[in-house]
Amino acid sequence: MAHIAKLRTLLMSALGPALAILLLLLFAGYAVFGSSGILAWGDYSRQLNASRVELAMVKKQRDQLKNRVQLLDPRRADPDMVDELVRKELNVGHPDEVIVPLK
């Protein structure tokens, strides 16, 4: 009987440190395997690089559109751009003209 009581006391005294170690292992596992852990870092780097490439493409498109808008500004419109836009939108062309599509 005394042997069982001694064993129970030993197990009860080891329960607190065992739970603390288990909790520490849980946090360590989350730090390595979690959604923002060390293993996810490589994936975030790849996503960041892909986003930077996409941002560069969008900035290039924005600059092209900005240039086009500046060429069509009513105060100082580029005559060639206006002529191109009118012919394209209104589908107007003379019989002796040759239209060369660029794309």
Side-chain angles (χ1 to χ4, degrees):
M1 221 30 158
H3 184 63
I4 294 175
K6 194 175 189 182
L7 184 62
R8 177 175 285 175
T9 307
L10 181 65
L11 287 177
M12 292 303 283
S13 64
L15 184 63
L19 287 176
I21 290 174
L22 185 64
L23 188 62
L24 182 65
L25 289 175
L26 179 71
F27 283 138
Y30 186 74
V32 173
F33 300 111
S35 62
S36 60
I38 294 171
L39 296 181
W41 192 352
D43 189 39
Y44 286 143
S45 297
R46 284 189 294 277
Q47 288 178 358
L48 179 63
N49 289 336
S51 296
R52 285 184 178 159
V53 168
E54 184 179 355
L55 177 64
M57 289 182 353
V58 168
K59 282 185 177 181
K60 183 179 177 183
Q61 290 174 351
R62 183 196 63 191
D63 291 340
Q64 289 174 348
L65 288 174
K66 190 176 183 180
N67 183 34
R68 196 166 172 93
V69 166
Q70 287 175 351
L71 290 175
L72 291 173
D73 186 15
R75 291 172 281 170
R76 56 190 187 297
D78 181 37
D80 291 333
M81 180 62 89
V82 172
D83 185 50
E84 175 189 338
L85 188 61
V86 167
R87 289 178 185 273
K88 182 179 174 186
E89 293 297 320
L90 298 178
N91 200 15
V92 176
H94 295 287
D96 61 341
E97 288 182 340
V98 176
I99 298 174
V100 179
L102 297 177
K103 291 185 182 180

